[in-house]
Amino acid sequence: MILIIDFGSQYNQLIARRVREAHVYCQIEAPGITLAQIKGISPEGIILSGGPASIYEKGSPRVDPGIFDLGIPVLGICYGMQYMVDSLGGEVSKAEKREYGFAELNIKDAAGIFEGIDDQTRCWMSHGDTIRRVPKGFRITASTANTRVAATHNSRKRFYGLQFHPEVVHTPKGKNMFRNFLFTICGCRKTWTMKSFIRESVQEMRSVIRDKKVILGLSGGVDSSVAALLIHRAVGNRLTCIFVDNGLLRQGEAEQVKGLFKKHFNVNLRFISARQQFLGRLKGVVDPEKKRKIIGRTFIQAFEKEAHKLRGVKFLAQGTLYPDVIESRSAFGGPSAVIKSHHNVGGLPKKMRLQLIEPLKHLFKDEVRVLGKELGLPDDLIWRQPFPGPGLAIRIISDITRARLSILRKVDAILLEEIRAGGLYKKLWQSFAVLLPLKSVGIMGDQRTYEHIVAIRAVTSIDAMTADWARLPHELLGRISNRVINEVKGVNRVVYDISSKPPSTIEWE
Ligand code: XMP
């Protein structure tokens, strides 16, 4: 395994992705990790990530320099390299010119990290500080026009430093550099596969859970579904999944979850029909944040009530993913990981004094998908677009009524059917309809109509932090509009949302 020390770079998750793609397991830890903890993990190699700080600034993040006496190979990237150089007696200072973007890398010594890579290759730079002098025992192994020390090493000690970022796609040979580090320098073997992950994770959960029971809130989304199947494989029907039908789901969704988990996978599933309760409390509520609060509270109550009926429950399982775990730790903080409450499960029953089980907490989303496939989940669930916890409630502007829900469900079903038929479902981050209970005039047959407006929203995005409106083909938009107006009573106008995030958001509420 490889240990990655997180100095706060926006790219550090990419480092972990590169290592895992090479089938080597890695873990990201904050710089506060102690030497004893590192020895306990006993990594084959250490990667020091980049970061926004300057090494000569007061309070800049540092890891115990004892790592350089462990006899383990170390790869420092950007700030990580500067930290290494500074710790071992070299000199770092402000660069005359900040360097950002592509640079041509001239490799002078191909041994080690650059093995098998052409003497000239492109790399991606992003730094304001530079190495003035390398420590004793180090050689300069590559330069760029602006940066004399673009790479350095002490091959006897197996310490390597790169000023550029090998983890980003803009460094085309970055993957080769990682492979050289992992396999040639550290001697890692390719043991990280989903099969091995399942085996180890099942074993670990069995030894922790033993004869006790676990509950899990199943939403029908990818993360909770994969977590449910993995735990089910470990402890069978000592896992109880609770699915709350809040009346705000899409057409056929509740039945799908029931059919798949109960009938197909034989998972112990408690299906709670709480539509009345949710819709009753949402009656007349217009404010989006109020809607969210009511839905969150009502969900917890329904979940708790059901959980209390079960005896011997000691564990609460959640489908928390690695990015949530990493982001909840500060680069400057200690090693203790405070897991932020995931906004999907916002503050699940604290009172219940249950121990948390988070079997996906070391996985990235794409790994969770591979895992889901391995566990037999159907493709349409694995590739499901995100759907917000408050469901259709935040896609009906103004207050929620059964009639409005019914209209939106029909529109949404048509939209998704057409998006799928057009082969676009997987390419879009999200595609959905929003009901605007405003009325506008139309004409149908020879009759004047006065009905609702529906907005179509389709966006592309990588992480929902930013998003762009999707350039859907006009023919497809035309087909959706025709079908909606013809097939859904109560709608006579369809509009397309062409706003990006920021300044808009993905959802309307
Ligand atoms: P916005 O609308 O903020 O959405 O651009 C970003 C992503 O978050 C989802 N979203 C939610 N998910 N509960 C959720 O579980 C919520 O209250 C909520 N609000 C927005 C949204 O669908 C998008 O993927």
Side-chain angles (χ1 to χ4, degrees):
M1 91 88 108
I2 293 288
L3 172 66
I4 299 169
I5 302 292
D6 175 5
F7 284 129
S9 159
Q10 54 177 332
Y11 300 134
N12 64 36
Q13 291 188 27
L14 279 178
I15 301 177
R17 297 292 314 117
R18 293 289 98 86
V19 175
R20 289 192 186 183
E21 274 163 15
H23 299 290
V24 175
Y25 181 69
C26 63
Q27 221 165 289
I28 302 181
E29 298 291 340
I33 187 169
T34 65
L35 206 56
Q37 283 170 321
I38 295 177
K39 283 182 186 157
I41 297 175
S42 126
E44 256 98 36
I46 298 178
I47 299 180
L48 308 173
S49 89
S54 271
I55 194 71
Y56 48 78
E57 255 169 23
K58 232 176 116 188
S60 58
R62 278 158 196 272
V63 63
D64 191 322
I67 58 166
F68 298 112
D69 300 324
L70 295 176
I72 301 173
V74 179
L75 169 62
I77 297 174
C78 200
Y79 176 88
M81 172 212 219
Q82 293 158 6
Y83 166 75
M84 176 158 74
V85 163
D86 183 74
S87 303
L88 298 175
E91 198 186 322
V92 180
S93 71
K94 206 163 193 55
E96 272 115 51
K97 260 207 313 220
R98 255 191 68 88
E99 197 179 14
Y100 184 84
F102 283 111
E104 207 57 52
L105 187 72
N106 295 304
I107 297 171
K108 297 173 192 149
D109 182 350
I113 205 110
F114 298 131
E115 197 76 56
I117 296 170
D118 290 345
D119 289 352
Q120 272 220 334
T121 181
R122 287 227 285 186
C123 68
W124 183 259
M125 288 285 190
S126 171
H127 63 116
D129 292 347
T130 195
I131 310 280
R132 292 279 166 232
R133 186 167 49 76
V134 298
K136 228 172 101 195
F138 276 72
R139 292 162 51 96
I140 299 170
T141 53
S143 309
T144 68
N146 279 329
T147 306
R148 192 173 63 93
V149 189
T152 177
H153 76 206
N154 178 335
S155 58
R156 197 175 58 79
K157 297 212 154 178
R158 298 183 295 170
F159 296 156
Y160 294 81
L162 304 176
Q163 181 55 73
F164 58 91
H165 290 272
E167 67 275 26
V168 303
V169 288
H170 310 305
T171 302
K173 294 291 175 203
K175 281 186 182 180
N176 305 48
M177 297 172 198
F178 275 109
R179 263 184 250 134
N180 285 338
F181 181 69
L182 296 174
F183 302 118
T184 315
I185 297 168
C186 298
C188 294
R189 282 175 308 129
K190 298 182 180 183
T191 51
W192 169 251
T193 62
M194 269 310 141
K195 280 200 174 66
S196 68
F197 173 80
I198 294 174
R199 203 172 43 235
E200 282 162 27
S201 160
V202 161
Q203 239 168 33
E204 192 192 327
M205 282 195 280
R206 278 186 188 149
S207 73
V208 171
I209 298 168
R210 298 206 218 187
D211 59 344
K212 300 292 185 295
K213 288 187 184 152
V214 188
I215 48 169
L216 173 139
L218 189 65
S219 71
V222 188
D223 307 343
S224 67
S225 297
V226 173
L229 283 193
L230 186 59
I231 301 170
H232 185 246
R233 186 168 283 198
V235 299
N237 60 11
R238 284 202 300 287
L239 166 72
T240 302
C241 294
I242 300 180
F243 181 87
V244 179
D245 181 358
N246 56 12
L248 304 164
L249 302 169
R250 289 164 296 183
Q251 198 164 294
E253 210 171 356
E255 291 69 32
Q256 259 167 22
V257 171
K258 236 198 279 193
L260 185 65
F261 285 89
K262 214 174 172 118
K263 293 219 181 85
H264 183 71
F265 287 116
N266 208 10
V267 167
N268 202 346
L269 175 70
R270 300 251 175 160
F271 187 88
I272 309 169
S273 182
R275 295 181 189 194
Q276 307 276 8
Q277 222 169 323
F278 278 87
L279 298 187
R281 290 189 193 172
L282 284 169
K283 202 169 173 184
V285 179
V286 172
D287 179 73
E289 285 314 299
K290 254 195 203 138
K291 286 181 184 171
R292 279 195 173 80
K293 283 214 181 83
I294 293 171
I295 294 164
R297 243 190 345 253
T298 313
F299 174 81
I300 290 173
Q301 283 170 3
F303 186 93
E304 268 184 323
K305 195 170 148 202
E306 196 59 31
H308 275 307
K309 293 183 191 160
L310 302 166
R311 297 198 163 271
V313 176
K314 279 273 171 335
F315 299 94
L316 171 70
Q318 291 183 348
T320 316
L321 303 193
Y322 204 27
D324 291 317
V325 177
I326 300 168
E327 277 156 24
S328 64
R329 296 186 305 220
S330 138
F332 305 90
S336 63
V338 194
I339 318 257
K340 78 177 167 197
S341 59
H342 195 278
H343 75 278
N344 276 325
V345 284
L348 259 180
K350 283 201 195 80
K351 281 191 300 208
M352 296 176 64
R353 296 180 185 282
L354 297 174
Q355 235 172 296
L356 267 189
I357 296 257
E358 298 174 304
L360 312 181
K361 72 174 176 191
H362 286 126
L363 302 187
F364 291 98
K365 190 82 176 190
D366 52 339
E367 290 175 321
V368 170
R369 293 205 163 106
V370 177
L371 175 59
K373 194 153 181 72
E374 194 75 40
L375 292 168
L377 271 182
D379 263 13
D380 58 335
L381 198 151
I382 290 176
W383 291 102
R384 221 181 74 141
Q385 292 174 356
F387 183 64
L392 299 181
I394 54 168
R395 294 181 182 171
I396 294 175
I397 311 305
S398 182
D399 59 323
I400 294 143
T401 65
R402 274 171 208 278
R404 287 173 180 173
L405 277 167
S406 161
I407 292 177
L408 184 55
R409 260 190 207 111
K410 287 178 193 149
V411 177
D412 191 75
I414 293 172
L415 170 78
L416 288 180
E417 205 180 301
E418 289 298 335
I419 296 271
R420 282 206 172 94
L424 290 174
Y425 185 81
K426 259 167 93 169
K427 293 190 184 129
L428 298 171
W429 173 264
Q430 273 171 300
S431 46
F432 56 89
V434 183
L435 180 66
L436 319 180
L438 282 169
K439 290 196 165 183
S440 80
V441 174
I443 179 158
M444 226 173 172
D446 288 328
Q447 297 286 321
R448 173 187 191 269
T449 60
Y450 190 52
E451 308 276 18
H452 292 319
I453 306 168
V454 157
I456 307 285
R457 181 84 165 129
V459 296
T460 53
S461 173
I462 290 180
D463 53 10
M465 302 294 283
T466 62
D468 196 9
W469 60 278
R471 273 54 173 177
L472 293 185
H474 288 178
E475 297 70 34
L476 176 64
L477 286 169
R479 227 170 14 251
I480 294 169
S481 162
N482 268 341
R483 281 196 59 195
V484 167
I485 295 172
N486 282 309
E487 296 174 33
V488 185
K489 211 166 171 300
V491 179
N492 69 353
R493 193 175 295 273
V494 173
V495 298
Y496 189 47
D497 181 349
I498 51 167
S499 4
S500 297
K501 171 183 182 174
S504 297
T505 53
I506 297 175
E507 304 285 348
W508 277 40
E509 288 208 325

mmCIF file of all heavy atoms in Angstrom, residues 141-167:
data_model
loop_
_atom_site.group_PDB
_atom_site.id
_atom_site.type_symbol
_atom_site.label_atom_id
_atom_site.label_comp_id
_atom_site.label_asym_id
_atom_site.label_seq_id
_atom_site.Cartn_x
_atom_site.Cartn_y
_atom_site.Cartn_z
ATOM 1 N N THR A 141 17.338 16.164 -12.144
ATOM 2 C CA THR A 141 17.123 15.171 -13.206
ATOM 3 C C THR A 141 16.284 15.703 -14.367
ATOM 4 O O THR A 141 16.203 15.054 -15.403
ATOM 5 C CB THR A 141 16.454 13.906 -12.632
ATOM 6 O OG1 THR A 141 15.279 14.308 -11.923
ATOM 7 C CG2 THR A 141 17.389 13.170 -11.699
ATOM 8 N N ALA A 142 15.640 16.854 -14.198
ATOM 9 C CA ALA A 142 14.893 17.448 -15.316
ATOM 10 C C ALA A 142 14.701 18.940 -15.082
ATOM 11 O O ALA A 142 14.665 19.396 -13.932
ATOM 12 C CB ALA A 142 13.545 16.767 -15.488
ATOM 13 N N SER A 143 14.594 19.690 -16.192
ATOM 14 C CA SER A 143 14.371 21.138 -16.096
ATOM 15 C C SER A 143 13.344 21.561 -17.126
ATOM 16 O O SER A 143 13.079 20.837 -18.096
ATOM 17 C CB SER A 143 15.652 21.908 -16.400
ATOM 18 O OG SER A 143 16.721 21.425 -15.636
ATOM 19 N N THR A 144 12.785 22.738 -16.938
ATOM 20 C CA THR A 144 11.984 23.373 -17.990
ATOM 21 C C THR A 144 12.613 24.742 -18.244
ATOM 22 O O THR A 144 13.541 25.142 -17.526
ATOM 23 C CB THR A 144 10.514 23.572 -17.571
ATOM 24 O OG1 THR A 144 10.471 24.548 -16.530
ATOM 25 C CG2 THR A 144 9.874 22.291 -17.084
ATOM 26 N N ALA A 145 12.086 25.472 -19.228
ATOM 27 C CA ALA A 145 12.659 26.775 -19.551
ATOM 28 C C ALA A 145 12.662 27.695 -18.328
ATOM 29 O O ALA A 145 13.603 28.453 -18.102
ATOM 30 C CB ALA A 145 11.869 27.403 -20.696
ATOM 31 N N ASN A 146 11.619 27.618 -17.503
ATOM 32 C CA ASN A 146 11.511 28.510 -16.355
ATOM 33 C C ASN A 146 12.018 27.919 -15.057
ATOM 34 O O ASN A 146 12.245 28.641 -14.099
ATOM 35 C CB ASN A 146 10.046 28.882 -16.124
ATOM 36 C CG ASN A 146 9.605 29.988 -17.038
ATOM 37 O OD1 ASN A 146 10.411 30.833 -17.402
ATOM 38 N ND2 ASN A 146 8.346 29.966 -17.417
ATOM 39 N N THR A 147 12.096 26.609 -15.002
ATOM 40 C CA THR A 147 12.377 25.956 -13.729
ATOM 41 C C THR A 147 13.585 25.044 -13.866
ATOM 42 O O THR A 147 13.521 24.020 -14.545
ATOM 43 C CB THR A 147 11.137 25.142 -13.265
ATOM 44 O OG1 THR A 147 10.015 26.024 -13.258
ATOM 45 C CG2 THR A 147 11.328 24.566 -11.894
ATOM 46 N N ARG A 148 14.655 25.440 -13.195
ATOM 47 C CA ARG A 148 15.890 24.665 -13.307
ATOM 48 C C ARG A 148 15.716 23.299 -12.636
ATOM 49 O O ARG A 148 16.097 22.281 -13.173
ATOM 50 C CB ARG A 148 17.035 25.450 -12.628
ATOM 51 C CG ARG A 148 18.422 24.899 -12.915
ATOM 52 C CD ARG A 148 19.493 25.827 -12.341
ATOM 53 N NE ARG A 148 19.425 25.921 -10.885
ATOM 54 C CZ ARG A 148 20.134 25.151 -10.054
ATOM 55 N NH1 ARG A 148 20.970 24.269 -10.528
ATOM 56 N NH2 ARG A 148 20.022 25.304 -8.750
ATOM 57 N N VAL A 149 15.080 23.321 -11.440
ATOM 58 C CA VAL A 149 14.876 22.041 -10.744
ATOM 59 C C VAL A 149 13.422 21.612 -10.936
ATOM 60 O O VAL A 149 12.573 21.827 -10.085
ATOM 61 C CB VAL A 149 15.219 22.153 -9.239
ATOM 62 C CG1 VAL A 149 15.211 20.768 -8.599
ATOM 63 C CG2 VAL A 149 16.564 22.827 -9.040
ATOM 64 N N ALA A 150 13.146 21.022 -12.078
ATOM 65 C CA ALA A 150 11.781 20.528 -12.310
ATOM 66 C C ALA A 150 11.646 19.126 -11.746
ATOM 67 O O ALA A 150 10.541 18.651 -11.493
ATOM 68 C CB ALA A 150 11.464 20.530 -13.801
ATOM 69 N N ALA A 151 12.779 18.456 -11.564
ATOM 70 C CA ALA A 151 12.762 17.135 -10.938
ATOM 71 C C ALA A 151 14.124 16.894 -10.301
ATOM 72 O O ALA A 151 15.152 17.366 -10.790
ATOM 73 C CB ALA A 151 12.469 16.050 -11.967
ATOM 74 N N THR A 152 14.115 16.169 -9.180
ATOM 75 C CA THR A 152 15.368 15.864 -8.497
ATOM 76 C C THR A 152 15.245 14.505 -7.833
ATOM 77 O O THR A 152 14.123 14.056 -7.563
ATOM 78 C CB THR A 152 15.700 16.960 -7.455
ATOM 79 O OG1 THR A 152 16.885 16.599 -6.757
ATOM 80 C CG2 THR A 152 14.579 17.164 -6.441
ATOM 81 N N HIS A 153 16.357 13.850 -7.605
ATOM 82 C CA HIS A 153 16.287 12.607 -6.830
ATOM 83 C C HIS A 153 17.570 12.306 -6.078
ATOM 84 O O HIS A 153 18.630 12.828 -6.389
ATOM 85 C CB HIS A 153 15.852 11.423 -7.709
ATOM 86 C CG HIS A 153 16.905 10.877 -8.627
ATOM 87 N ND1 HIS A 153 16.596 10.227 -9.790
ATOM 88 C CD2 HIS A 153 18.255 10.869 -8.540
ATOM 89 C CE1 HIS A 153 17.716 9.849 -10.381
ATOM 90 N NE2 HIS A 153 18.731 10.231 -9.654
ATOM 91 N N ASN A 154 17.374 11.456 -5.076
ATOM 92 C CA ASN A 154 18.497 10.835 -4.403
ATOM 93 C C ASN A 154 18.224 9.346 -4.575
ATOM 94 O O ASN A 154 17.424 8.772 -3.839
ATOM 95 C CB ASN A 154 18.496 11.239 -2.918
ATOM 96 C CG ASN A 154 19.624 10.567 -2.146
ATOM 97 O OD1 ASN A 154 20.109 9.500 -2.538
ATOM 98 N ND2 ASN A 154 20.017 11.177 -1.040
ATOM 99 N N SER A 155 18.842 8.768 -5.597
ATOM 100 C CA SER A 155 18.431 7.408 -5.968
ATOM 101 C C SER A 155 18.872 6.375 -4.927
ATOM 102 O O SER A 155 18.244 5.350 -4.776
ATOM 103 C CB SER A 155 18.970 7.049 -7.354
ATOM 104 O OG SER A 155 20.367 7.164 -7.343
ATOM 105 N N ARG A 156 19.936 6.689 -4.199
ATOM 106 C CA ARG A 156 20.375 5.731 -3.180
ATOM 107 C C ARG A 156 19.313 5.593 -2.090
ATOM 108 O O ARG A 156 18.950 4.527 -1.662
ATOM 109 C CB ARG A 156 21.708 6.219 -2.574
ATOM 110 C CG ARG A 156 22.465 5.143 -1.818
ATOM 111 C CD ARG A 156 23.828 5.660 -1.341
ATOM 112 N NE ARG A 156 23.720 6.845 -0.487
ATOM 113 C CZ ARG A 156 23.386 6.788 0.807
ATOM 114 N NH1 ARG A 156 23.123 5.638 1.382
ATOM 115 N NH2 ARG A 156 23.313 7.896 1.523
ATOM 116 N N LYS A 157 18.750 6.750 -1.700
ATOM 117 C CA LYS A 157 17.711 6.716 -0.658
ATOM 118 C C LYS A 157 16.309 6.499 -1.241
ATOM 119 O O LYS A 157 15.347 6.401 -0.519
ATOM 120 C CB LYS A 157 17.738 8.031 0.126
ATOM 121 C CG LYS A 157 19.043 8.246 0.849
ATOM 122 C CD LYS A 157 18.833 9.016 2.117
ATOM 123 C CE LYS A 157 19.939 8.674 3.090
ATOM 124 N NZ LYS A 157 19.854 9.384 4.321
ATOM 125 N N ARG A 158 16.206 6.518 -2.533
ATOM 126 C CA ARG A 158 14.926 6.384 -3.244
ATOM 127 C C ARG A 158 13.955 7.542 -2.911
ATOM 128 O O ARG A 158 12.794 7.328 -2.633
ATOM 129 C CB ARG A 158 14.290 5.020 -2.963
ATOM 130 C CG ARG A 158 15.154 3.860 -3.454
ATOM 131 C CD ARG A 158 14.484 2.532 -3.244
ATOM 132 N NE ARG A 158 14.302 2.236 -1.823
ATOM 133 C CZ ARG A 158 13.570 1.231 -1.349
ATOM 134 N NH1 ARG A 158 12.934 0.440 -2.193
ATOM 135 N NH2 ARG A 158 13.462 1.023 -0.053
ATOM 136 N N PHE A 159 14.492 8.762 -2.914
ATOM 137 C CA PHE A 159 13.661 9.959 -2.750
ATOM 138 C C PHE A 159 13.553 10.655 -4.109
ATOM 139 O O PHE A 159 14.577 10.912 -4.757
ATOM 140 C CB PHE A 159 14.289 10.949 -1.762
ATOM 141 C CG PHE A 159 14.403 10.421 -0.359
ATOM 142 C CD1 PHE A 159 15.346 10.940 0.528
ATOM 143 C CD2 PHE A 159 13.538 9.418 0.090
ATOM 144 C CE1 PHE A 159 15.445 10.462 1.831
ATOM 145 C CE2 PHE A 159 13.634 8.935 1.395
ATOM 146 C CZ PHE A 159 14.596 9.452 2.264
ATOM 147 N N TYR A 160 12.336 10.980 -4.505
ATOM 148 C CA TYR A 160 12.101 11.612 -5.814
ATOM 149 C C TYR A 160 11.242 12.847 -5.636
ATOM 150 O O TYR A 160 10.284 12.836 -4.868
ATOM 151 C CB TYR A 160 11.412 10.618 -6.762
ATOM 152 C CG TYR A 160 12.309 9.454 -7.086
ATOM 153 C CD1 TYR A 160 12.429 8.386 -6.192
ATOM 154 C CD2 TYR A 160 13.079 9.447 -8.236
ATOM 155 C CE1 TYR A 160 13.293 7.322 -6.453
ATOM 156 C CE2 TYR A 160 13.941 8.391 -8.509
ATOM 157 C CZ TYR A 160 14.041 7.343 -7.614
ATOM 158 O OH TYR A 160 14.903 6.318 -7.876
ATOM 159 N N GLY A 161 11.583 13.907 -6.352
ATOM 160 C CA GLY A 161 10.781 15.124 -6.269
ATOM 161 C C GLY A 161 10.414 15.615 -7.657
ATOM 162 O O GLY A 161 11.260 15.629 -8.559
ATOM 163 N N LEU A 162 9.150 15.990 -7.845
ATOM 164 C CA LEU A 162 8.699 16.538 -9.126
ATOM 165 C C LEU A 162 8.051 17.886 -8.859
ATOM 166 O O LEU A 162 7.153 17.987 -8.012
ATOM 167 C CB LEU A 162 7.674 15.609 -9.791
ATOM 168 C CG LEU A 162 8.110 14.149 -10.035
ATOM 169 C CD1 LEU A 162 6.956 13.342 -10.606
ATOM 170 C CD2 LEU A 162 9.318 14.107 -10.972
ATOM 171 N N GLN A 163 8.504 18.920 -9.566
ATOM 172 C CA GLN A 163 7.910 20.237 -9.377
ATOM 173 C C GLN A 163 6.551 20.320 -10.089
ATOM 174 O O GLN A 163 5.664 21.051 -9.693
ATOM 175 C CB GLN A 163 8.858 21.316 -9.912
ATOM 176 C CG GLN A 163 8.363 22.729 -9.739
ATOM 177 C CD GLN A 163 8.033 23.037 -8.286
ATOM 178 O OE1 GLN A 163 8.888 23.197 -7.448
ATOM 179 N NE2 GLN A 163 6.745 23.089 -7.967
ATOM 180 N N PHE A 164 6.372 19.525 -11.140
ATOM 181 C CA PHE A 164 5.117 19.553 -11.925
ATOM 182 C C PHE A 164 4.152 18.501 -11.375
ATOM 183 O O PHE A 164 4.466 17.771 -10.430
ATOM 184 C CB PHE A 164 5.445 19.299 -13.401
ATOM 185 C CG PHE A 164 6.146 17.993 -13.629
ATOM 186 C CD1 PHE A 164 5.425 16.842 -13.892
ATOM 187 C CD2 PHE A 164 7.534 17.896 -13.528
ATOM 188 C CE1 PHE A 164 6.067 15.627 -14.080
ATOM 189 C CE2 PHE A 164 8.175 16.682 -13.717
ATOM 190 C CZ PHE A 164 7.444 15.546 -13.986
ATOM 191 N N HIS A 165 2.972 18.424 -11.996
ATOM 192 C CA HIS A 165 1.931 17.508 -11.501
ATOM 193 C C HIS A 165 1.756 16.296 -12.423
ATOM 194 O O HIS A 165 1.091 16.399 -13.449
ATOM 195 C CB HIS A 165 0.607 18.261 -11.359
ATOM 196 C CG HIS A 165 0.634 19.247 -10.242
ATOM 197 N ND1 HIS A 165 0.294 18.915 -8.948
ATOM 198 C CD2 HIS A 165 1.003 20.548 -10.207
ATOM 199 C CE1 HIS A 165 0.448 19.961 -8.168
ATOM 200 N NE2 HIS A 165 0.875 20.980 -8.911
ATOM 201 N N PRO A 166 2.309 15.154 -12.050
ATOM 202 C CA PRO A 166 2.165 13.964 -12.902
ATOM 203 C C PRO A 166 0.756 13.386 -12.840
ATOM 204 O O PRO A 166 0.395 12.567 -13.680
ATOM 205 C CB PRO A 166 3.172 12.983 -12.295
ATOM 206 C CG PRO A 166 3.281 13.369 -10.859
ATOM 207 C CD PRO A 166 3.089 14.860 -10.830
ATOM 208 N N GLU A 167 -0.052 13.811 -11.849
ATOM 209 C CA GLU A 167 -1.376 13.193 -11.652
ATOM 210 C C GLU A 167 -2.439 13.743 -12.590
ATOM 211 O O GLU A 167 -3.491 13.143 -12.744
ATOM 212 C CB GLU A 167 -1.817 13.357 -10.184
ATOM 213 C CG GLU A 167 -2.114 14.782 -9.721
ATOM 214 C CD GLU A 167 -0.881 15.553 -9.251
ATOM 215 O OE1 GLU A 167 0.235 15.232 -9.704
ATOM 216 O OE2 GLU A 167 -1.036 16.492 -8.459
#
